[in-house]
Amino acid sequence: MARFLYRAAVAFAEEVLGTSYRPRPFSGLFLASAIPSAAGHLGLARASATPALRDLLTPGAFLLDATHTLGAVALRGFTHTAEINRYIRDDFFPKELARAEAQGDARAADVLRLFRALIDAEDGRCQDALDDLARLAAERPDFNSARHCAAAFCDLLGRAEEGDRWLAGVPGWQRPPENIIFNLGLVEAALGGAPGAVAGNRGQVASAAFQIINESVSEGKMSAFQTIVTGLLKQAAKRRCKDLPLKHGDGDGILRALADAAFAVSGSVPKDDRPFFVLQASQALLSAVVLREPPLSGERVTAALRVAKRDLARAVEKGDAAAVSDLRFLAAFLAARDGRFDEALARYEEVARDDPSDPRPHRLAFVISMVVRRPDEEASKWMASYKRVAAGSSFRQRFEMVTLTDEMLVALALASPTAFDVRCPIRMSLIAGAAGRLVDAALVSALESKSLSVVERIEVRAARAFLHAGMWSALKKWEGKDYGISGTATE
């Protein structure tokens, strides 16, 4: 009965969203059968945005977002969201630090401060992280993890001499690249878009990511499927960075403590059910080594939103109606990607008001309202208006709408801690389907490239097959759950 209700609820959501995606185990190994995505938000950027915004909104950035979401599904992890990172800095960290200090637990306080520095670096605020680490190192000179972490940030910022000063006086056996906190610092700075990650330290980032992944494999924290998927990614990275040192180090228990801090924030999945920091390491490999493009996260999202608003103001001043509409969509999308949902909905209200015949703002506003669990009446209002306006849509418009919807679902999974939640399997099925379709289309496009070798083509097909298998496994698991806690009545 529960499975029937699940399928009925998913079918209802897909009737509105049009996002049916049901991979089978190991499908896609021999046939490149996926339909390429329509232009979506990238098409809007190409049509109306300035070069500055197009440099931030790239196919690689959108692919990294989709792989982040799909990787979280495959690794049974949780996404690193804009809203959750703000929660860590503004709410979780002050409370937990005050509790640790009140209890006289100096080690817990040190770990929390290190954890916040890593979060800041992942969001692209490496200087803020370095300032915090400087204070921590001054107060706790024997806490060498702070020095290793700061040295890693400096390496990717191109400040090698400053990094050497951080390591001065650290015992030789704790110097990088053997130290796991140094490697975790490299990974987090790469995810924050530190320039050295893409420009000149790919081998260093790859080696750091390999160590973190190997640590989870050696400790038995990863399933056979997860090991194979990350192994394929490592092989792709090795071809781009020759002669990488692969070393294991002693984290002195600090990695375990950092993982505990991360789970204290999430708290949704038992600790033993997922590997630690492998998702970040995999994303760093994709970003810095395989795709060689910084991710659209943290400060880069904020910068893109700022540029979109500037371009929009200029288009309004010029009276360019088409550009105004496109840039409102882009500003709304980026606001949602940054967790600013009220602002995104206000943008869609503007588009819907100025062009009552355009179904896109109604649909995207409905997706936000449904996925981030706003009041049921708000989601119902947008769903009703979308069905009314979309009645006469052409095939091309409906096809573009699927891509816009997929990109929005992925953006929400990376923006809201309540969106990517395995306790809400219907919503998770829609998010996983959206991410899977976007990644699948990118893999199929890669197979069309004449520059791929035979080995690379086999690896692309194998990656696609294993991703299908992982999604199929996740969907089957969700179908067997009790759906009394699956979310709102709209879901």
Side-chain angles (χ1 to χ4, degrees), residues 205-215 234 237-238 244 246 285:
V205 172
S207 181
F210 284 2
Q211 177 181 335
I212 292 170
I213 293 172
N214 291 346
E215 193 92 8
K234 287 166 61 178
K238 283 180 181 179
L244 291 174
L246 301 181
L285 278 179

Side-chain angles (χ1 to χ4, degrees), residues 453-469:
S453 67
V454 173
V455 173
E456 288 172 330
R457 290 178 183 277
I458 292 173
E459 286 181 352
V460 168
R461 292 179 185 275
R464 185 175 179 226
F466 279 110
L467 287 172
H468 277 216

Side-chain angles (χ1 to χ4, degrees), residues 42 62 68 71 80 86 133-134 175 187 239 262 354 379 385 401 475 488:
L42 287 171
F62 276 77
H68 185 164
H80 302 264
R86 282 194 289 267
L133 290 172
R175 292 179 70 85
V187 163
R239 282 197 306 274
D354 291 349
S385 62
M401 193 71 73
L475 291 169
T488 64

Side-chain angles (χ1 to χ4, degrees), residues 23-289:
R24 304 302 298 174
F26 306 104
S27 61
L29 183 56
F30 302 107
L31 297 176
S33 57
I35 300 175
S37 298
H41 292 92
L42 287 171
L44 297 175
R46 284 193 295 266
S48 300
T50 60
L53 187 55
R54 289 197 295 270
D55 287 345
L56 291 166
L57 295 176
T58 64
F62 276 77
L63 177 57
L64 282 167
D65 272 4
T67 55
H68 185 164
T69 304
L70 194 57
V73 173
L75 294 171
R76 304 296 192 268
F78 56 91
T79 58
H80 302 264
T81 70
E83 190 174 339
I84 198 69
N85 284 355
R86 282 194 289 267
Y87 163 73
I88 290 171
R89 287 192 306 273
D90 302 336
D91 190 355
F92 172 83
F93 171 77
K95 291 179 181 177
E96 291 301 309
L97 182 61
R99 181 180 294 113
E101 291 175 341
Q103 294 173 351
D105 191 343
R107 179 172 173 78
D110 293 344
V111 169
L112 283 166
R113 294 172 71 177
L114 179 63
F115 179 49
R116 187 176 70 167
L118 289 166
I119 290 295
D120 281 344
E122 184 180 299
D123 267 1
R125 294 184 303 279
C126 277
Q127 189 55 55
D128 290 345
L130 284 169
D131 292 342
D132 283 345
L133 290 172
R135 287 188 287 271
L136 176 57
E139 296 171 16
R140 300 279 292 170
D142 60 334
F143 189 52
N144 289 319
S145 291
R147 296 181 176 276
H148 285 124
C149 194
F153 296 163
C154 290
D155 273 15
L156 289 197
L157 291 172
R159 291 148 56 172
E161 291 183 1
E162 184 180 345
D164 289 341
R165 289 195 297 272
W166 274 104
L167 293 173
V170 174
W173 65 272
Q174 289 185 328
R175 292 179 70 85
E178 292 82 4
N179 184 272
I180 198 165
I181 296 304
F182 180 86
N183 286 291
L184 185 57
L186 290 175
V187 163
E188 295 297 310
L191 292 176
V198 173
N201 291 305
R202 299 186 190 101
Q204 195 176 22
V205 172
S207 181
F210 284 2
Q211 177 181 335
I212 292 170
I213 293 172
N214 291 346
E215 193 92 8
S216 288
V217 172
S218 65
E219 293 184 9
K221 296 175 182 175
M222 295 175 66
S223 67
F225 164 74
Q226 293 166 348
T227 302
I228 291 171
V229 171
T230 53
L232 289 169
L233 179 57
K234 287 166 61 178
Q235 284 300 117
K238 283 180 181 179
R239 282 197 306 274
R240 290 183 174 251
C241 294
K242 303 297 184 183
D243 303 321
L244 291 174
L246 301 181
K247 300 182 179 181
H248 293 273
D250 179 12
D252 192 28
I254 193 72
L255 193 66
R256 172 75 251 180
L258 285 168
D260 287 344
F263 290 125
V265 178
S266 168
S268 59
V269 178
K271 298 175 185 178
D272 294 337
D273 279 2
R274 54 190 173 188
F276 310 128
F277 303 114
V278 172
L279 179 59
Q280 296 98 310
S282 299
Q283 283 302 107
L285 278 179
L286 272 175
S287 172
V289 183

